[in-house]
Amino acid sequence: MTETVEHLRDFNYYKLNSDIKQVLAEYIWIDGTGEKMRSKTKVYRDPITKLQDLDWWTFDGSSTEQANTKWSEIYLKPVIYVKDPFRGNPHVLVLCETYLPDKKTPARYNFRSIANEIMEKAKDFKPWFGIEQEYFLLKRTGTTHIWPLGWPTGGFPYPQGRYYCSIGERNNFGRALAEAHLRACLNAGIKIAGINAEVAPSQWEFQIGIAEGIEIGDHLWLARYILERLGEEFGIDINYDPKPILGDWNGSGAHTNYSDIKTRGIGGYQYIINELMPLLQRTHQEVLKLYGSNNEQRLTGNHETSSYDTFSWGDGSRGGSIRVPVITKEQGAGYLEDRRPAANIDPYLVSAVIVDVALLNSTYVNQLKQLLVDSAKQL
């Protein structure tokens, strides 16, 4: 990296684990922004061997934009846990849903609850997902100003073309962080499939999948958490904005690959183009409301994107709303890639609405949209 990375730590404090007899459980949740995460640690005296060993817990929702001070208790419900790659065994990372004090009503931006209901109704179709999560690495150049890692301070690097899947000090910025993220996710048991440097300098991507049903949202959120934690160590901010740098620079998406037993079965390609495409086209404007905030800045028809206003698709097309991979056409069955989702999506919303449109006759689309609107309202 051409810049000195400040605050780089050597992880020595992790060596303090050797004499700890208790289990440290890091409870993680999505906060009241719908895009950021919070976490806190609970000490257990006994081993964690199953989900039921983890207690419901509470936090101050008035400090996370999820409640007001007069009614501030929010419950954390553990839904999945994995090995903690930072603290090591036997410690765990615990992803949680958030609930109001009645322990029944999902709190602000808890979309996992409704997504799980949708996935349960469609489970016989075995919906599989893979999400390609793009992001930028930003570094402070002053007290408040942040700018992409490796870019001239307040200025611009060479034009795009040399950075995608690049190697070399002049082209590749942030590999150490991306590599650490890959290994930490594998250590934790996250379903990460790979990483690569992306089209814009200091832009990277990791892929989650193949994951079935609700797994895709769980594993993507946990992978984001691990990436943010590593960013702390490197002094680097992780940015998921759809278009963090205006101008002739690629934006960041979360291309979502989807298949089910119909698309993967005999005649799956014809099913995709003859039956799924009309459904996806008909619901284009509706689902875009669930595909990330400020996504219209990214979906311009340029920089490998489709138009925000117009649905399109093509075999092998990276300029369409939907890409049908060449291998799907060649084999007559497989998956499709929805290229519309922005990098800042909630993966529960996106995976749920795709399943709803493809398999459940769009039964939940309006409910999902309303939940997003309600979550964005002032407390």
Side-chain angles (χ1 to χ4, degrees):
M1 292 180 282
T2 57
E3 293 182 327
T4 299
V5 178
E6 300 171 356
H7 312 303
L8 179 60
R9 302 171 191 145
D10 63 4
F11 297 82
N12 277 343
Y13 70 93
Y14 298 130
K15 296 178 182 178
L16 300 174
N17 286 333
S18 57
D19 294 326
I20 296 177
K21 301 297 189 290
Q22 297 82 6
V23 177
L24 306 181
E26 193 70 17
Y27 278 56
I28 302 163
W29 70 95
I30 302 158
D31 72 9
T33 66
E35 296 182 11
K36 299 298 183 181
M37 307 182 80
R38 310 283 180 121
S39 74
K40 63 176 185 172
T41 308
K42 187 176 181 65
V43 177
Y44 282 88
R45 304 295 172 183
D46 299 314
I48 303 299
T49 61
K50 57 185 181 300
L51 192 63
Q52 290 72 22
D53 292 334
L54 294 159
D55 301 326
W56 285 54
W57 204 12
T58 60
F59 66 94
D60 172 18
S62 67
S63 297
T64 64
E65 301 180 50
Q66 288 167 290
N68 57 52
T69 54
K70 292 181 179 179
W71 195 250
S72 64
E73 290 289 284
I74 300 291
Y75 270 100
L76 291 169
K77 175 189 176 182
V79 293
I80 182 177
Y81 71 94
V82 297
K83 176 183 173 182
D84 186 334
F86 303 103
R87 292 167 171 155
N89 281 326
H91 314 296
V92 292
L93 302 179
V94 185
L95 186 65
C96 301
E97 289 187 33
T98 52
Y99 284 88
L100 298 184
D102 62 6
K103 301 177 79 171
K104 296 179 181 179
T105 306
R108 196 179 195 192
Y109 288 104
N110 173 6
F111 301 128
R112 187 186 188 277
S113 177
I114 185 67
N116 198 40
E117 179 181 328
I118 291 170
M119 295 303 179
E120 281 296 308
K121 288 194 174 182
K123 66 181 180 181
D124 290 343
F125 293 97
K126 297 189 178 300
W128 290 357
F129 294 93
I131 293 183
E132 305 165 24
Q133 176 70 74
E134 295 176 337
Y135 60 95
F136 269 83
L137 301 176
L138 304 183
K139 188 175 183 299
R140 294 193 181 277
T141 59
T143 56
T144 58
H145 184 64
I146 53 178
W147 201 237
L149 184 70
W151 290 36
T153 301
F156 298 91
Y158 290 108
Q160 294 182 162
R162 59 196 292 174
Y163 308 108
Y164 174 69
C165 294
S166 62
I167 61 169
E169 194 270 345
R170 288 184 295 174
N171 304 323
N172 191 287
F173 312 108
R175 185 188 297 279
L177 176 52
E179 179 75 11
H181 179 240
L182 173 63
R183 297 185 183 209
C185 284
L186 289 171
N187 181 273
I190 302 298
K191 290 188 173 181
I192 190 167
I195 60 172
N196 61 269
E198 263 301 334
V199 176
S202 197
Q203 184 187 41
W204 284 81
E205 172 184 298
F206 65 88
Q207 302 94 33
I208 298 295
I210 298 172
E212 186 170 332
I214 202 68
E215 271 189 336
I216 189 62
D218 292 344
H219 284 245
L220 184 60
W221 275 116
L222 284 168
R224 284 175 173 175
Y225 175 82
I226 291 171
L227 185 58
E228 293 276 0
R229 282 285 303 276
L230 287 167
E232 293 176 15
E233 303 295 339
F234 283 78
I236 292 174
D237 183 59
I238 311 302
N239 183 280
Y240 297 109
D241 292 343
K243 192 74 172 179
I245 308 296
L246 299 178
D248 196 17
W249 307 100
N250 270 37
S252 295
H255 303 151
T256 301
N257 300 295
Y258 170 78
S259 71
D260 56 44
I261 58 174
K262 295 181 180 180
T263 72
R264 298 190 297 267
I266 297 173
Y269 173 75
Q270 292 300 323
Y271 169 75
I272 289 172
I273 62 174
N274 294 330
E275 298 191 42
L276 275 191
M277 287 304 170
L279 294 176
L280 294 168
Q281 181 171 11
R282 188 180 69 204
T283 57
H284 175 68
Q285 290 300 328
E286 297 304 305
V287 303
L288 277 180
K289 297 170 185 177
L290 304 171
Y291 276 22
S293 59
N294 301 316
N295 200 19
E296 67 280 356
Q297 296 178 9
R298 169 180 157 266
L299 293 180
T300 61
N302 298 315
H303 304 109
E304 299 181 276
T305 70
S306 58
S307 167
Y308 188 87
D309 297 318
T310 305
F311 179 86
S312 59
W313 76 275
D315 294 318
S317 172
R318 284 177 167 78
S321 309
I322 305 293
R323 176 178 71 93
V324 179
V326 173
I327 192 171
T328 297
K329 184 175 183 179
E330 288 177 350
Q331 296 183 351
Y335 70 97
L336 60 83
E337 177 192 49
D338 192 335
R339 297 181 58 81
R340 296 171 293 176
N344 61 359
I345 60 165
D346 186 312
Y348 295 129
L349 281 180
V350 170
S351 59
V353 78
I354 290 174
V355 166
D356 186 40
V357 169
L359 300 173
L360 302 179
N361 198 30
S362 298
T363 303
Y364 287 88
V365 170
N366 288 332
Q367 185 177 350
L368 291 168
K369 286 164 46 187
Q370 189 59 51
L371 286 172
L372 181 59
V373 169
D374 291 344
S375 289
K377 290 179 180 177
Q378 290 279 354
L379 292 171

